Amino acid sequence: MTKGYEERKAANERYLATQERIVIRVPKESGLKDAIQSHADSRGESMQAFIVRAIASQMEQDSQTHHD
C-alpha cells in the first residue's frame, strides 16, 4: 500500500469516529429514493445533506408548533 492510501484510510477512520449512522429504507417501487436524489441534485446538495437539512427543518417547525 502507498503512503497516501494509508493516510487517507487513517483520515477516514478519524472522520467516521465522529459520525453516527442512521439507516432509512424506502420501498423500491415507491420511487422515493430517486425523487429525493433528484430534489437534492436540483439544489446542489448531496442526498445526505438534503435529508439532514429536511429533518432539522421539520424538527424546528414541530418545536415552534408545539410551543404556540
Side-chain angles (χ1 to χ4, degrees), residues 12-19:
N12 191 47
E13 288 173 1
R14 286 191 304 273
Y15 169 74
L16 290 176
T18 68
Q19 303 298 301

Side-chain angles (χ1 to χ4, degrees), residues 10-42:
N12 191 47
E13 288 173 1
R14 286 191 304 273
Y15 169 74
L16 290 176
T18 68
Q19 303 298 301
E20 292 187 292
R21 183 178 187 97
I22 300 173
V23 176
I24 62 168
R25 291 181 174 83
V26 296
K28 286 183 180 182
E29 63 275 0
S30 72
L32 186 55
K33 180 183 174 196
D34 290 338
I36 293 169
Q37 184 67 65
S38 178
H39 183 79
D41 290 346
S42 75

Side-chain angles (χ1 to χ4, degrees), residues 1 6 9 13 16 22 24 28 30-31 36 38 41 44 46 48-50 55-57 61 68:
M1 307 276 166
E6 294 300 329
K9 183 178 174 186
E13 288 173 1
L16 290 176
I22 300 173
I24 62 168
K28 286 183 180 182
S30 72
I36 293 169
S38 178
D41 290 346
S46 68
Q48 177 173 318
F50 167 68
I55 291 169
S57 176
Q61 271 187 315
D68 289 342

